[in-house]
């Protein structure tokens, strides 16, 4: 059907609302309470527009003297978020209607009369729809001269979320999210009128696995993250599109970095993967990207150079026949890393490749998956190339029986569970490629620091068979050129100079992507590894690196059964 | 000549113990229901349409038309009977519960029959516990006699009537808030469309009618639409319960035809202004309707057209009379405080605007207001009117707008001294938005 | 701890049957809880309501806190609720309020130390024709004068 917004005609399908059409065709209609992932409440009144429908006469649409349809305008402005469009409907936004412009100013003035206006100390400043809408559509000042309402401040709603009732504008997005999406009705609005605010039941917490999404959807700074509060102004951080590696859901995220430290991770919209959401656990799993890192190669606890490390690696793997070497591949590493590992050791004659199982619990109603490893599906694709995988159990007994004597662990921690100190004593050598310090790095002979998913570029395949990219959000000590091009930059990264002491990178790790460690000069970039593997793996034959983009691509359904096989 | 001469009271007739079913039956009670059950459903709706009955809950919507919006078919449908009676100055539905409950029950049953409704919920404000008990007793009688419940009067039609007690919230009188309240949700009014006749209680088609409206429906079926439509104002006919309060000698609820002159109601029916005082102002239809000056009162008749002509409306026919000693600034403050207290808090303009209005009106009451404050009140009203989900925001803005414009001198007299100097001073200082 | 009496549990079952959804019974069940709990709703009482209706406690407190007649704090044996809206004010409600404030030595919203009276201001009670009016608990007392108030207090204080 045809509809007209601000005198421009658009062709639309279905029964969309005015706001849906407007955002699709790029007409901005300011709003607060509307969220595409939630039911419509129509309470903020920010999205008011004028709307009208063609007048129908006996012979269809009535025309005026100029041959244009006569429009019956609604007597009052209507909410764009809740009004469905119909054939021939006309809409005037603030661009063409004085009434709408005035209405927007009025609503914003009202919202602000009891709002504390504490933007200078508010985490939301810089990414605040209230700030932005006020700047663009608000009045120039306020005529309110009374004391503002006072309401509870610094309320700990739960382990992760802090609430400031004075900043709250009662849009009820958080309440609707908890009820409709998280299916955990832990929040409500209490009281009424301008005394109302959101709350949990006294003594109960907002502690569902998705609680922190309310922070993202809060259009003001009323709901903030306990972990991120006052850590940075949003404009000081770089934001990098990546994916969460907390489980096999592969939620799309933005990784926020200041001074090379990851300060927060927030969900990024992807309709087929995670819509607008992510779980708290995935969101808070970033500390290991900053802390407890393996930095620089070491041999028996002594720091060595990368060249020395390469030599040690071939010494140790050359000290026994290739059949006695086991290589643990990693569902936490990229497809490229795993491909490089398998290619490398296969060429050396290794036949025992191992993969661990990381399932725990069961899938929930929304995103959380039982399979806690993000790239199990990629290993499945590589299974044939590896000649099958041994399980953790099989590995343990083969070590005990003395069949396997050198162990290479890639981004896994076998001595953190699958293997014991008895196995360690039975092994001649242990080599660990690892991002973080753990039981395995402390008992390994050779430790090779690996880049985390926040420092590398590469692909993961989630439980639904969607191929997606992680992208570098922070830098490494010796950064590969191909990574540098992709690394997110903040304003400071671009403009600070070397004497700006607050703009100096911290948490710089001496690590490399595993493919780079193993391939030497063979590959210059993850992209090259990918082109190679895409040629080799039938499921990826038709996939090109660039088309993966930031949204990912669904692999051929044919590959799906493969990916779900344990 | 008095308009009441020869007028036959039908809603609140002077019959003792009419709340007892035997007495009610003796006086033609449930004849309307019997008649309705002998007619087709559509004919009942046509009869109500023909009568010209308009809702008595405040909005004055034609009742027959409202009933005809209900979809046919086997979808479950509901009737919600609105006995929330929260509008200040309104105290009439309670008289029906007390003195003629069966008339309301009969009207409800007729409405249910006409629209094919199997359950009616009567929403009664929580404070009216006494009248809830009276109605429940009458309802039990009606069930016992086979007027309500299964297979009514052996005609194969069944309807249950359930009383639901409110708990102190004016907004629950607004029909969509009432529905959310009944459903056990927070009683926020709903966005329209969809209208209740499509999506109402529990998602089903629903009609909402005021208690007095339903009582009138029983009268229409008993006496016939022709008889009914000849009573009172031609375009807004029928008997109506005038609730007269404030500074009159004999306040109370009086039944009369629509279209009576406001003057007659005040000076004859209610005995005139108390203590021989002069009249200052009248609110003709409950607190939300625009206030009238004595000059306008002279001209006003109590029907939709008559009151539109003087820039007001019929509302609930709750007439609030104020004598010459009334402090209108204080009175307006009372109302602004009320709307502030009762805003559900959902819509920004109402949640914030009602509080702001109250604060600025309070400034007038304290004698601290300025010219800017006067302008500001009008601007706040303009920013609230027609911008919200329900009409409470308008109901809060109108008394302010009308009182300060129609009684401007009184508000000017309450401005702080330096501001009595005139408009120039203020215009300079106003920062326009 | 609050738990519903057997009798009230039966009443609750009857209330549930009146509506097509269980959630709809929340208001009647809150009334029952308030009555059992001495005319106010404690947190435990609200939780019990949520429990019998299988609703989230957050939702139930959201509903209960909206309405003024569900008391969120203990109230005295006699809850004096004086209307101060328009018709009552025109007829001297303010005078009644001041009189009560003085007599009981209370400000609005307070309870006497002996727990006998709670004194509140309420919106229009629908007694505009018999103004000024107040409710003592659920009972209407109308056409108030200061003398009538004195008499009432004498009666209640016995
Ligand atoms: C804020 C507000 C409060 C209302 N309160 C009542 C009320 O207490 N009783 C009532 O019958 N209608 C009330 N109404 C009107 C109802 O929404 C509705 O129009 C009416 O019940 C329909 O019945 P009728 O068509 O029989 O008049 C109120 C409306 C608004 C906007
Ligand atoms: S206008 Fe006021 S009372 Fe009505 S829905 Fe909006 S906030 Fe609630
Ligand atoms: S976005 Fe439409 S009313 Fe809030």
């Amino acid at each position: 059907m045809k509809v007209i917004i601000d005198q421009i005609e658009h062709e639309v399908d279905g029964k969309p609302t005015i706001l849906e059409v407007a955002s699709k065709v790029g007409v901005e209609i300011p709003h607060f309470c509307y969220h595409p992932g939630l039911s419509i409440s129509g309470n903020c009144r920010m999205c008011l527009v004028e709307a009208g429908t063609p007048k129908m006469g006996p012979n269809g649409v009535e025309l005026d003297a100029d041959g244009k349809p006569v429009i019956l305008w609604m007597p009052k402005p209507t909410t764009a978020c809740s009004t469905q469009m119909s054939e021939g409907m006309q809409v005037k936004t603030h661009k063409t209607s004085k009434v709408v412009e005035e209405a927007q100013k009025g609503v914003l003035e009202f919202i602000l009369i009891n709002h504390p206006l504490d933007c200078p100390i508010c985490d939301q400043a810089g990414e605040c729809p209230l700030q932005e809408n006020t700047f663009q559509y608000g009045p120039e000042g306020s005529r309110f001269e009374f004391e503002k309402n006072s309401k509870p401040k610094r309320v700990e709603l739960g382990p992760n979320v802090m609430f400031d009732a004075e900043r709250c504008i009662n849009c009820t997005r958080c309440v609707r999210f908890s009820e409709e999406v998280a299916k955990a009705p832990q929040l409500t609005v209490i009281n009424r009128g301008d005394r109302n605010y959101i709350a949990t039941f006294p003594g109960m917490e907002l502690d569902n696995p998705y609680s922190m999404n309310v922070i993202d959807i809060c259009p003001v700074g009323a709901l903030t993250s306990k972990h991120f509060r006052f850590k940075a102004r949003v404009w000081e951080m770089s934001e990098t599109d990546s994916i969460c590696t907390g489980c096999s859901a592969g939620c799309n995220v933005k990784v926020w970095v200041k001074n090379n430290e990851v300060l927060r991770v927030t969900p990024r919209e992807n309709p087929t993967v995670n819509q607008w959401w992510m779980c708290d656990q995935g969101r808070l799993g970033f500390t290991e990207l900053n802390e407890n890192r393996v930095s620089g190669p070491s041999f028996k606890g002594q720091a060595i150079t990368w060249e020395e490390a390469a030599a040690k690696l071939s010494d140790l793997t050359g000290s026994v026949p290739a059949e006695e070497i086991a290589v643990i591949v990693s569902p936490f590493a990229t497809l490229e890393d795993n491909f490089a590992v398998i290619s490398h050791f296969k060429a050396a004659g290794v036949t025992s490749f191992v993969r661990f199982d990381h399932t725990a619990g069961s899938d929930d109603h929304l995103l959380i998956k039982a399979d806690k490893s993000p790239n199990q599906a990629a290993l499945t694709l590589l299974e044939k190339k590896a000649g099958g995988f041994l399980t953790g159990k099989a590995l343990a007994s083969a070590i005990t029986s003395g069949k396997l004597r050198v162990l290479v662990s890639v981004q896994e921690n076998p001595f953190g569970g699958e293997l014991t100190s008895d196995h360690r004593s039975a092994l001649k050598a242990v080599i660990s490629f690892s991002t973080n310090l753990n039981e395995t790095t402390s008992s390994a002979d050779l430790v090779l620091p690996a880049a985390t998913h926040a420092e590398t570029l590469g692909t993961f395949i989630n439980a639904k068979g969607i191929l997606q990219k992680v992208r570098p959000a922070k830098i490494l000590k010796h950064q590969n050129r191909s990574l540098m091009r992709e690394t997110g930059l903040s304003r400071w990264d671009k403009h600070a100079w070397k004497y700006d002491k607050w703009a100096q990178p911290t948490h710089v790790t001496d690590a490399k992507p595993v493919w780079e460690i193993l391939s030497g000069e063979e590959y210059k970039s993850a992209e090259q590894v990918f082109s190679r593997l895409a040629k080799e793996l039938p499921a990826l034959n038709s996939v090109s690196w660039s088309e993966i983009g930031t949204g990912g691509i669904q692999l051929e359904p044919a590959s799906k059964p493969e990916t779900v096989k344990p | 000549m008095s308009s009441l001469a020869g007028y036959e009271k039908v809603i609140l007739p002077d019959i003792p113990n009419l709340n007892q079913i035997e007495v009610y039956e003796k006086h033609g009670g449930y004849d309307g229901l019997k008649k309705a059950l002998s007619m087709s459903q559509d004919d009942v709706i046509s009869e109500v349409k023909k009568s010209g009955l308009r809702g008595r809950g405040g909005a004055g919507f034609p009742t027959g038309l409202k009933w005809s919006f209900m979809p046919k078919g086997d979808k479950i449908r509901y009737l919600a009977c609105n006995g929330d009676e929260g509008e200040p100055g309104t105290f009439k539905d309670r008289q029906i519960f007390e003195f003629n409950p069966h008339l309301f029950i009969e009207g409800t049953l007729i409405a249910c029959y006409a629209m094919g409704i199997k359950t009616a919920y009567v929403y009664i404000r929580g404070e009216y516990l006494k009248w809830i008990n009276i109605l429940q007793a009458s309802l039990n009688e009606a069930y016992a006699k086979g007027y309500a419940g299964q297979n009514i009067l052996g005609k194969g039609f069944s309807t249950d009537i359930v009383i639901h007690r409110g708990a102190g919230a004016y907004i629950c009188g607004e029909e969509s808030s009432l529905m959310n309240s009944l459903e056990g949700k927070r009683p926020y009014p709903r966005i329209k469309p969809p209208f209740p006749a499509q999506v109402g209680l529990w998602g089903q088609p629903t009609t909402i009618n005021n208690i007095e409206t339903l009582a009138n429906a029983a009268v229409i079926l008993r006496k016939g639409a022709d008889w009914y439509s000849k009573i009172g104002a031609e375009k807004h006919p029928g008997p109506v319960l005038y609730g007269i309060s404030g500074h009159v000698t004999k306040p109370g609820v009086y039944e009369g035809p629509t279209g009576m002159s406001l003057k007659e109601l005040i000076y004859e029916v209610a005995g005139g202004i108390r203590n021989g005082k002069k009249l200052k102002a009248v609110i003709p239809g409950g607190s939300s309707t625009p206030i009238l000056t004595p000059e306008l009162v002279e001209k006003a008749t109590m029907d939709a057209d008559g009151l539109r002509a003087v820039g007001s409306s019929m509302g609930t026919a709750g007439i609030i009379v104020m004598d010459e000693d009334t402090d209108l600034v204080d009175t307006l403050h009372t109302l602004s405080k009320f709307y502030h207290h009762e805003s559900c808090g959902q819509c920004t303009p109402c949640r914030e605007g009602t509080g702001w209005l109250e604060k600025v009106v309070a400034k007038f009451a304290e004698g601290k207001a300025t010219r800017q404050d006067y302008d500001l009140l009008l601007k706040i009203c303009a920013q609230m009117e027609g911008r919200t989900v329900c009409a409470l925001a308008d109901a809060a803005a109108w008394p302010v707008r009308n009182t300060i414009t129609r009684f401007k001198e009184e508000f000017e007299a309450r401005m702080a001294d330096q501001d009595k100097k005139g408009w120039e001073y203020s215009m300079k200082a106003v920062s326009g938005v | 701890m609050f738990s519903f009496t057997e009798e009230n549990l039966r009443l609750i079952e009857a209330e549930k049957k009146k509506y097509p959804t269980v959630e709809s019974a929340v208001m009647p069940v809150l009334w029952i809880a308030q009555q059992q709990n001495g005319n106010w709703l404690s947190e435990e009482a609200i939780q019990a309501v949520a429990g019998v209706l299988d609703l989230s406690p957050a939702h139930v407190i959201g509903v209960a806190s909206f309405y003024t007649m569900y008391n969120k704090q203990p109230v005295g044996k006699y809850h004096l609720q004086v209307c101060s809206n328009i018709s009552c004010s025109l007829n001297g409600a303010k005078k009644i309020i001041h009189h009560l404030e003085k007599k009981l030595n209370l400000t609005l919203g307070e309870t006497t130390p002996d727990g006998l009276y709670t004194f509140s201001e309420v919106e229009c009670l629908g007694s505009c024709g018999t103004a000024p009016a107040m409710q003592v608990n659920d009972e209407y007392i109308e056409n108030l004068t200061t003398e009538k108030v004195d008499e009432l207090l004498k009666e209640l204080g016995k």
Side-chain angles (χ1 to χ4, degrees), chain B residues 287-291 313 381 385 391 393-403:
Chain B
S287 64
S288 312
T289 55
I291 193 168
S313 64
C381 289
E385 289 158 357
D394 304 87
W398 291 334
V400 174
R401 175 184 290 289
N402 289 293
T403 312

Side-chain angles (χ1 to χ4, degrees), chain B residues 171 189 343-347 350-351 388-390 392-393:
Chain B
I171 194 60
S343 164
C344 80
Q346 180 178 207
C347 316
C350 176
R351 179 183 65 242
T388 52
V389 170
C390 88
L392 188 136

Side-chain angles (χ1 to χ4, degrees), chain A residues 182-401:
Chain A
K183 308 266 184 244
Q186 298 172 319
L187 280 180
T188 185
V189 183
I190 62 161
N191 301 336
R192 71 180 183 216
D194 60 5
R195 281 88 63 213
N196 70 2
Y197 55 86
I198 57 153
T200 56
F201 189 82
M204 292 188 176
E205 294 202 311
L206 175 69
D207 59 359
N208 67 72
Y210 296 96
S211 73
M212 294 182 79
N213 289 287
V214 301
I215 300 164
D216 308 322
I217 59 178
C218 178
V220 295
L223 295 169
T224 50
S225 159
K226 274 198 193 168
H227 310 272
F228 176 68
R229 272 162 64 86
F230 308 127
K231 288 265 170 65
R233 310 314 314 243
V234 292
W235 56 86
E236 297 168 346
M237 295 180 288
S238 59
E239 48 180 304
T240 306
D241 290 353
S242 191
I243 62 167
C244 174
T245 59
C247 79
S248 55
C251 295
N252 288 209
V253 298
K254 280 184 192 297
V255 180
W256 299 78
V257 170
K258 177 182 166 185
N259 292 347
N260 209 42
E261 181 180 5
V262 179
L263 293 182
R264 67 171 182 179
V265 173
T266 58
R268 176 167 60 88
E269 183 186 343
N270 186 327
T272 51
V273 179
N274 55 313
Q275 292 93 34
W276 301 266
W277 326 118
M278 75 181 298
C279 75
D280 290 5
Q281 209 178 354
R283 186 191 297 254
L284 294 174
F286 65 81
T287 36
E288 60 172 23
L289 303 174
N290 300 323
E291 308 298 338
N292 196 34
R293 294 293 303 277
V294 181
S295 190
S298 64
F299 183 70
K300 296 196 189 291
Q302 297 299 309
I304 54 173
T305 65
W306 282 99
E307 288 73 26
E308 288 164 350
K312 287 284 180 214
L313 178 62
S314 49
D315 284 358
L316 291 177
T317 50
S319 67
V320 292
E323 309 78 76
E324 293 180 12
I325 301 175
V327 176
I328 309 174
V329 294
S330 173
F332 297 98
T334 63
L335 173 58
E336 291 71 16
D337 287 342
N338 281 302
F339 178 81
V341 168
I342 295 171
S343 305
H344 178 89
F345 289 101
K346 199 115 203 245
V350 174
T351 52
S352 300
F353 292 94
V354 186
R355 83 161 160 188
F356 289 163
D357 174 43
H358 294 278
T359 50
S362 50
D363 294 1
D364 77 351
H365 72 282
L366 193 58
L367 297 170
I368 297 170
K369 292 275 176 276
D371 185 351
K372 303 296 172 209
S373 58
N375 215 6
Q376 209 58 263
L379 293 184
T380 307
L381 279 189
L382 293 168
E383 189 156 13
K384 213 158 145 206
K385 180 178 172 71
F389 292 121
L390 297 175
T391 62
K393 253 212 194 101
L395 171 69
S397 56
I399 294 172
T400 311
S401 66

Side-chain angles (χ1 to χ4, degrees), chain A residues 1-12 21 25 27 68-69 87-91:
Chain A
M1 74 191 168
K2 282 194 175 46
V3 298
I4 297 179
I5 301 180
D6 292 334
Q7 285 149 27
I8 298 169
E9 197 172 285
H10 303 282
E11 186 67 42
V12 299
V21 174
V25 304
V27 175
K68 292 210 178 103
E87 177 66 45
M89 189 185 248
Q90 297 205 11
V91 172

